[in-house]
Amino acid sequence: MAEAVTYTVIQQDDDKEQPSIQELKNQLENGKDGQKIDTMKKILLLMLNGDPVPQLLMHVIRFVMPAKNKTLKKLLLVYWEICPKTNPDGKLKQEMVLVCNALRNDLLHPNEFIRGSTLRFLCKLREAELLEPLIPSVRACLEHRHPYVRKNAVLAVYSIYKSFDYLIPDAPEFVQSFLASEADQNCKRNAFIMLMNTKQSLAVQYLNSVFSQIASFDELLQLSVIELIRKDCRNPTPDKAKYIQCIFSLLQSSAHSVKYEAANTLVALTTHASAVKAAASCYIELVIKVADNNVKLIVLDRVNEIREKHDRILDDLVMDILRVLTSPDIEVRRKCLKISMDMVSNRNVDEVVTFLKKELVKTHEAEYEKNNEYRQLLIHAIHSCAIRFSEVAANVVHVLMEFLGDSNNSSAVDVIAFVREVMEKFPQLRAGIIDRLLQTFMEMKTGRVFRGALWIIGEYALDVAAMDQALHQIRTALGEIPILASEQRLLEEAPTEQPAEEKVEGQPAEKPAASSSSSRRILADGTYASESAFSSKSTAQAKLDAVKAAAKPPLRALILNGEFFVGAVLSSCLTKIVLRYAELSKDQARANALRAEAMLIMTSIIRVGKSEFPSSPIDEDSHDRIMTCIRALSSMPHEQVLREVFLVECRRAFTDLIKAEEKSQQKKIKDKKTVKVHADDVLFFRQLKSKKSGGEGADEYELDLTRATGTAGRGDDLISKLSRVIQLTGFSDPVYAEAYVTVHQYDILLGALKVLVVISQWKYRADSTPTDVLIVNQTNETLQNLTLEFSTLGDLKLVERPSPHTLGPRGFHSIKANIKVSSTETGVIFGNIVYDGPSALDMNCVILNDIHIDIMDYINPASCTETQFRLMWSEFEWENKVNVNTKISDLKVYLNHILKSTNMNCLTPEHALSGECGFLAANMYARSIFGEDALANICLEKQGETITGHIRIRSKTQGIALSLGDKVRWRDLATGGGPSLAFAYHPCDR
């Protein structure tokens, strides 16, 4: 039975008047070939837009079909493809006899292009009555001298046999004979594909006869051979060993696509260690040789899949994988390092670390694309190796410490975090690291690095010599103490510059009069020049700016730039050193001198924080922390509680943090090593398994099959379908429609379900999917040209426009709509249903309800490091601040409620959230299926029985920030809270 024609809507030029049928007839009758070509293009546009123009059929047969112009013949074949070939009763039109004769003549035409084009057209023909008289001509084309005709003849035979096998019952046999005698590779490939899909045993028979020649086949034929091997091995076959040998030989092919498919097939056929290694080596070679970065990422994903399935088999290939780091793309390098770190073992860790150290040195000597980010990745990799394998920690820690003075803040912070962790885990390395840290102390540039270094010095400078050296470096980095007095002296000693408007060209500025308080100056000619208050203020400000801009030691510069958090950490470091020094040293006078010096530094920081010299005044938290340190030093040795806090509890808190991270890593490793299949598990046979048994026990091939057919994750119960049904029109509308929305990774499939008055009469077809769209005609009249029109709001795009339909009285029709999603944000789909009225000029319209696409369908919880979170937080452009307004009274319950509502992962460790407190702060992170990052910071305070605070959401795009904020507000309303305010702004607006 002939299939219904599907029309494609093509936009025509509105400014051009569309020709009438009579004008088109006249142009076909009287025009030359060039005019006929233009006329045929106009006719094709009309037909593609839904008008079959049957009045032109005979004119096309009479005036276009006899033409010899090749362009006109191509357009004619397109016309035969889309024009209606049957009458309304389903019988072939009488005019098609003439068409059949013309096609037969073209199949016997001496020009190979016309023959080949006609054969390609026959592949799309689905009328058996038209095809039957053409079979002898198609067979004759198999013996044509030109390979272009022969390869298209094979495709035509395949298409005819697949649709109407009774027309050519012996097609596989004579195609096998053709294949045995054919020399052209493309013709052989087409014939081989036909045998493989029609009669596989003949394809296998041919493959066995040419087994030794497979390596000499071209790329397309080799891919077809691999496909046949994959198909044949799904069933028990004695040729499996021979097939594996063939696949091994194809791994050495010069074509990248053949090597990739051969490696995929080899891993699917066998799990032997040598085969797995060979496939992985082939993948790695592909990654190195292929220039396309997208291909590199895809192949690296395949390598990672093999590594996960075959644990420790690929460890010997880790150095080969590291060769991929020669690629300039940062994403390829990131994925390569991630895979390599999972393959590091005791046997290869020395080689890996040596290679990474060389790469790290290269980043210092040469400039790469995104050099700082690549250096940060290398530091992370070396960090993970050193923590997992203690024997290499001593070799790498000193190399990494050379980057503490790096101008890139992120990589230097990663290094100091690594050093801090090494100090805790490897006590034997502490002395050497402290010495090296003090040597590089003056080279550090950023406040975060200084904070980490000062904390390490305060905790792990445990002997008198180390403490003396640390205090010496701190004095050097601070400069002259007290800071405020020395800065004021520099300000007074700064030379006074005469304002520019008072200077005389060619004359130097004169010294001021004897009285410093005088407001007059003596000019070169002996007269007095008055100085306004504005000019004196500007002079004072210029002097202050000059003092601020002068070169200063690093710690002093940071404090004067408003980094008082560094001053608070410095005070804590000095307090720990003085307390520990008083315990270790018997020199009481020296201990008292150090205590006085430390208190002088602390008071100096507080005083300068309240002066005009820093860019911003000291914050309250830093002030309180420095005062606590002063109190601890002033009360020693009597105050044991503060001593216990500084010398014991601080170290214990960091130790607990390290242990919590180790437990988290061990849990991840344990989860990875979980046995997926046990010896006594039930065996599942796909052929014997019922549809209701679900996906449990399905093998990999079965899962691939369900994904390919679109049935993965689809519920068969009525309740799950009803929960996703959206009513589009009212029950009193002449056309009733409902939508069933299914969101895949990149597409939204819309469906409307037929609903009747009685709920028990819901109707589903057995072969339909939950994405069928059924529109119900609730009138007793036939609705002509009924069209479902959709429009979208947001980053949604309508892929295809539904074609018009005719609905009978009380009838229904199935329609599908595909919506392409391009980014993560809440989208809206709206539209209407239009159909013709009783007269040709009447048009009826039914407005549809809006369909809101939930952002939660794209958002998945994800994890990242603290450094990555801070970096993204500072880089992302859009922020949405949502005030908390809820009836939930428990802080942790509300946090879990937000995590569940937004599909985000809490990055703040569990031990940091433990305990009873009236405050809670946590970081959250999620990643969309499009690779977009979403960050959130939640700050809560409990006041009585209510929770107050805000949630700050940041992302690179505005849509995801707004959509997540809307989701939080809706969830707050659902818990009984009132409406909350949200503000989304760009950093330029802050």
Side-chain angles (χ1 to χ4, degrees):
M1 183 177 178
E3 297 177 359
V5 179
T6 302
Y7 294 102
T8 304
V9 178
I10 297 178
Q11 179 65 34
Q12 301 188 40
D13 295 333
D14 295 333
D15 56 345
K16 295 182 180 180
E17 184 179 353
Q18 299 303 323
S20 64
I21 299 297
Q22 188 59 44
E23 291 174 346
L24 293 173
K25 287 182 179 180
N26 294 334
Q27 291 171 4
L28 291 177
E29 290 178 12
N30 305 320
K32 295 183 179 180
D33 285 350
Q35 188 176 1
K36 288 182 180 179
I37 290 172
D38 294 336
T39 305
M40 285 299 297
K41 289 180 179 179
K42 294 176 183 178
I43 294 172
L44 291 175
L45 283 176
L46 288 174
M47 296 178 69
L48 289 173
N49 278 313
D51 186 1
V53 287
Q55 307 93 323
L56 297 175
L57 178 58
M58 277 309 299
H59 274 71
V60 171
I61 292 174
R62 290 173 57 195
F63 301 107
V64 180
M65 203 163 62
K68 296 181 180 180
N69 186 285
K70 293 183 177 59
T71 304
L72 204 53
K73 281 190 173 292
K74 283 186 66 175
L75 293 172
L76 185 62
L77 291 176
V78 177
Y79 176 81
W80 295 138
E81 181 182 344
I82 64 176
C83 78
K85 305 171 187 65
T86 57
N87 295 317
D89 58 359
K91 294 183 179 180
L92 194 69
K93 291 181 177 180
Q94 294 180 355
E95 294 89 342
M96 289 297 113
V97 176
L98 300 173
V99 176
C100 181
N101 185 57
L103 292 175
R104 181 181 175 279
N105 293 335
D106 286 343
L107 288 174
L108 300 176
H109 199 281
N111 185 286
E112 62 272 7
F113 172 77
I114 294 177
R115 279 202 186 199
S117 301
T118 308
L119 287 167
R120 290 177 67 88
F121 163 70
L122 294 185
C123 296
K124 304 172 184 177
L125 206 55
R126 292 296 178 266
E127 283 75 25
E129 297 177 35
L130 268 177
L131 290 169
E132 187 174 5
L134 304 176
I135 298 301
S137 303
V138 174
R139 282 176 175 266
C141 289
L142 287 171
E143 300 174 1
H144 195 271
R145 60 178 177 79
H146 202 285
Y148 177 73
V149 177
R150 297 199 302 272
K151 73 176 184 179
N152 284 297
V154 174
L155 291 178
V157 171
Y158 175 31
S159 175
I160 295 170
Y161 182 80
K162 186 171 63 173
S163 302
F164 313 102
D165 56 351
Y166 59 87
L167 293 180
I168 320 179
D170 59 338
E173 286 73 19
F174 78 76
V175 168
Q176 183 189 22
S177 303
F178 167 81
L179 182 59
S181 59
E182 180 58 47
D184 183 76
Q185 295 287 331
N186 288 328
C187 298
K188 292 170 71 173
R189 182 248 183 186
N190 291 353
F192 187 78
I193 287 178
M194 179 195 168
L195 291 180
M196 180 174 59
N197 290 288
T198 56
K199 202 167 184 179
Q200 189 171 310
S201 59
L202 295 180
V204 173
Q205 182 180 341
Y206 170 77
L207 183 62
N208 290 328
S209 66
V210 295
F211 206 80
S212 59
Q213 306 173 22
I214 293 177
S216 62
F217 288 170
D218 75 335
E219 178 181 353
L220 295 177
L221 190 52
Q222 286 180 342
L223 289 173
S224 303
V225 169
I226 293 172
E227 186 179 355
L228 175 64
I229 291 174
R230 194 183 296 123
K231 278 188 175 183
D232 197 34
C233 286
R234 289 173 185 167
N235 303 314
T237 174
D239 298 329
K240 187 173 182 180
K242 187 191 296 185
Y243 287 157
I244 293 175
Q245 181 184 355
C246 174
I247 295 298
F248 262 106
S249 66
L250 290 177
L251 291 177
Q252 308 304 321
S253 173
S254 59
H256 295 326
S257 59
V258 174
K259 296 174 73 171
Y260 179 76
E261 291 297 333
N264 289 347
T265 306
L266 184 61
V267 175
L269 293 182
T270 178
T271 58
H272 194 273
S274 60
V276 172
K277 284 186 178 181
S281 300
C282 181
Y283 284 138
I284 295 169
E285 186 179 356
L286 278 176
V287 176
I288 295 173
K289 291 185 177 180
V290 175
D292 192 335
N293 291 326
N294 293 322
V295 176
K296 290 176 184 285
L297 293 173
I298 292 171
V299 178
L300 283 174
D301 284 334
R302 296 293 298 175
V303 174
N304 194 36
E305 290 176 11
I306 295 178
R307 181 196 60 77
E308 291 175 351
K309 291 180 182 177
H310 308 280
D311 194 22
R312 296 304 171 194
I313 292 180
L314 303 184
D315 286 357
D316 295 337
L317 299 178
V318 63
M319 295 305 297
D320 294 330
I321 293 179
L322 287 174
R323 290 163 55 200
V324 181
L325 292 177
T326 55
S327 171
D329 186 72
I330 191 65
E331 293 299 327
V332 175
R333 287 172 167 175
R334 179 181 286 109
K335 190 176 287 290
C336 171
L337 285 173
K338 182 178 182 298
I339 296 172
S340 302
M341 291 304 101
D342 293 330
M343 297 169 62
V344 175
S345 62
N346 289 318
R347 293 180 298 171
N348 56 31
V349 62
D350 291 329
E351 292 180 86
V352 172
V353 170
T354 302
F355 181 86
L356 294 177
K357 284 163 61 177
K358 291 180 180 178
E359 286 294 309
L360 191 61
V361 173
K362 287 181 183 178
T363 63
H364 218 54
E365 298 173 351
E367 285 297 326
Y368 292 92
E369 182 185 1
K370 296 186 177 181
N371 197 34
N372 292 333
E373 193 171 351
Y374 180 43
R375 184 182 305 162
Q376 192 174 350
L377 290 175
L378 292 172
I379 291 172
H380 272 296
I382 296 174
H383 181 179
S384 63
C385 289
I387 296 304
R388 287 169 55 194
F389 306 98
S390 57
E391 60 271 16
V392 300
N395 298 330
V396 301
V397 65
H398 293 286
V399 176
L400 289 182
M401 290 179 70
E402 295 178 1
F403 294 89
L404 286 174
D406 197 346
S407 57
N408 180 29
N409 185 29
S410 300
S411 54
V413 169
D414 289 338
V415 171
I416 203 68
F418 164 67
V419 172
R420 184 176 60 184
E421 192 169 351
V422 169
M423 293 289 282
E424 176 61 29
K425 288 189 174 182
F426 308 110
Q428 70 275 12
L429 303 178
R430 289 174 181 171
I433 294 176
I434 284 290
D435 184 61
R436 177 66 175 168
L437 186 65
L438 292 173
Q439 291 177 12
T440 59
F441 194 76
M442 295 296 293
E443 300 173 4
M444 300 177 191
K445 295 181 175 63
T446 63
R448 291 186 65 190
V449 179
F450 266 112
R451 295 201 303 265
L454 289 170
W455 187 90
I456 292 172
I457 292 170
E459 288 293 339
Y460 299 104
L462 303 178
D463 54 59
V464 174
M467 287 187 277
D468 286 335
Q469 187 180 1
L471 290 171
H472 173 72
Q473 290 293 339
I474 290 173
R475 292 189 200 101
T476 307
L478 279 174
E480 186 180 353
I481 300 295
I483 300 175
L484 180 60
S486 59
E487 292 295 317
Q488 287 176 337
R489 188 178 68 253
L490 289 175
L491 182 62
E492 293 173 358
E493 294 175 355
T496 303
E497 294 185 2
Q498 186 176 343
E501 61 272 11
E502 293 181 7
K503 290 185 179 180
V504 180
E505 185 177 356
Q507 295 180 354
E510 296 294 330
K511 294 183 180 180
S515 175
S516 60
S517 60
S518 174
S519 60
R520 292 182 178 274
R521 294 173 183 265
I522 301 176
L523 298 179
D525 57 357
T527 60
Y528 289 99
S530 62
E531 185 177 22
S532 66
F534 174 77
S535 62
S536 62
K537 288 182 180 179
S538 62
T539 303
Q541 185 62 38
K543 291 172 61 178
L544 181 61
D545 292 341
V547 171
K548 288 182 179 181
K552 294 180 176 61
L555 268 181
R556 188 189 193 94
L558 287 172
I559 293 172
L560 290 174
N561 285 334
E563 292 267 3
F564 290 103
F565 190 17
V566 176
V569 177
L570 172 62
S571 302
S572 177
C573 173
L574 292 172
T575 303
K576 294 174 185 177
I577 290 177
V578 171
L579 291 174
R580 193 174 289 115
Y581 192 94
E583 291 182 352
L584 298 178
S585 177
K586 297 180 180 179
D587 189 351
Q588 192 65 32
R590 173 65 176 162
N592 288 336
L594 291 179
R595 178 171 63 164
E597 184 180 3
M599 294 175 69
L600 176 62
I601 293 173
M602 297 177 201
T603 53
S604 176
I605 294 173
I606 292 177
R607 288 192 63 202
V608 79
K610 297 180 178 181
S611 67
E612 61 181 352
F613 289 98
S615 56
S616 58
I618 187 171
D619 56 284
E620 187 177 349
D621 290 339
S622 299
H623 180 273
D624 292 345
R625 191 172 180 186
I626 296 174
M627 290 302 298
T628 301
C629 295
I630 294 174
R631 191 183 311 115
L633 292 180
S634 62
S635 61
M636 65 178 292
H638 309 291
E639 188 62 60
Q640 293 298 320
V641 176
L642 288 176
R643 176 195 166 280
E644 188 77 11
V645 169
F646 278 102
L647 297 185
V648 179
E649 294 298 330
C650 289
R651 175 87 64 85
R652 184 180 300 165
F654 181 64
T655 303
D656 292 342
L657 177 63
I658 295 296
K659 289 180 179 178
E661 291 179 354
E662 289 179 351
K663 288 181 180 179
S664 176
Q665 292 295 331
Q666 290 173 359
K667 184 179 178 182
K668 290 181 181 178
I669 295 173
K670 186 177 179 181
D671 293 340
K672 286 183 180 179
K673 292 184 177 180
T674 303
V675 179
K676 296 181 179 179
V677 180
H678 295 274
D680 56 349
D681 281 351
V682 179
L683 294 177
F684 288 89
F685 296 91
R686 185 174 68 254
Q687 292 82 356
L688 305 178
K689 189 172 60 174
S690 65
K691 293 183 179 179
K692 294 182 179 180
S693 60
E696 183 181 359
D699 60 3
E700 182 182 359
Y701 174 66
E702 176 67 17
L703 293 176
D704 289 341
L705 202 60
T706 55
R707 293 191 197 104
T709 55
T711 57
R714 189 177 73 189
D716 289 332
D717 59 315
L718 181 62
I719 301 300
S720 64
K721 294 178 179 178
L722 291 177
S723 63
R724 297 184 69 89
V725 170
I726 302 172
Q727 184 176 345
L728 297 180
T729 62
F731 291 108
S732 60
D733 289 321
V735 178
Y736 180 77
E738 288 184 347
Y740 178 78
V741 183
T742 303
V743 180
H744 298 299
Q745 183 166 358
Y746 290 101
D747 295 333
I748 301 171
L749 299 180
L750 292 181
L753 302 175
K754 176 185 177 183
V755 65
L756 304 179
V757 178
V758 184
I759 293 298
S760 61
Q761 291 180 329
W762 278 78
K763 179 179 176 67
Y764 292 96
R765 292 177 296 168
D767 61 341
S768 67
T769 66
T771 57
D772 279 347
V773 177
L774 291 156
I775 298 178
V776 183
N777 179 8
Q778 299 194 124
T779 67
N780 295 321
E781 300 175 354
T782 300
L783 304 182
Q784 299 284 342
N785 291 329
L786 186 142
T787 306
L788 179 64
E789 297 180 347
F790 278 125
S791 296
T792 58
L793 186 65
D795 283 344
L796 305 177
K797 180 183 178 183
L798 187 65
V799 177
E800 53 191 359
R801 190 179 301 276
S803 57
H805 303 278
T806 299
L807 277 185
R810 303 293 175 181
F812 62 90
H813 194 82
S814 176
I815 300 175
K816 275 186 182 177
N818 251 346
I819 307 290
K820 183 71 78 175
V821 184
S822 57
S823 71
T824 308
E825 66 174 275
T826 300
V828 180
I829 304 171
F830 55 93
N832 51 52
I833 297 174
V834 295
Y835 56 92
D836 293 344
S839 64
L841 299 178
D842 292 341
M843 180 72 72
N844 297 319
C845 180
V846 179
I847 305 299
L848 304 179
N849 288 333
D850 295 346
I851 303 172
H852 294 269
I853 305 303
D854 194 355
I855 189 178
M856 293 301 105
D857 293 319
Y858 317 128
I859 292 289
N860 296 315
S863 298
C864 67
T865 64
E866 179 188 358
T867 305
Q868 292 171 337
F869 184 91
R870 290 177 179 272
L871 184 63
M872 288 187 289
W873 187 268
S874 61
E875 290 179 350
F876 284 178
E877 300 175 353
W878 289 97
E879 178 173 306
N880 189 4
K881 186 175 181 180
V882 182
N883 293 326
V884 174
N885 195 344
T886 180
K887 294 296 183 182
I888 299 175
S889 58
D890 187 89
L891 296 176
K892 293 183 181 177
V893 172
Y894 183 74
L895 175 62
N896 294 330
H897 164 73
I898 292 298
L899 292 174
K900 184 178 179 181
S901 304
T902 57
N903 278 0
M904 302 190 85
N905 179 38
C906 183
L907 300 180
T908 306
E910 186 64 30
H911 69 87
L913 301 173
S914 60
E916 294 297 330
C917 181
F919 301 90
L920 185 145
N923 293 331
M924 300 180 292
Y925 177 62
R927 191 175 177 86
S928 74
I929 58 178
F930 306 105
E932 298 171 320
D933 299 297
L935 312 177
N937 174 264
I938 182 170
C939 297
L940 305 175
E941 179 182 359
K942 188 173 182 180
Q943 297 179 348
E945 293 299 320
T946 61
I947 294 177
T948 60
H950 59 265
I951 302 171
R952 296 170 64 191
I953 303 168
R954 285 197 184 184
S955 65
K956 190 168 287 187
T957 58
Q958 183 184 20
I960 190 170
L962 289 175
S963 300
L964 282 176
D966 292 340
K967 179 63 66 174
V968 171
R969 290 199 300 278
W970 293 337
R971 293 291 184 172
D972 280 354
L973 289 173
T975 60
S980 56
L981 296 176
F983 305 95
Y985 47 86
H986 195 273
C988 296
D989 304 330
R990 293 175 190 168

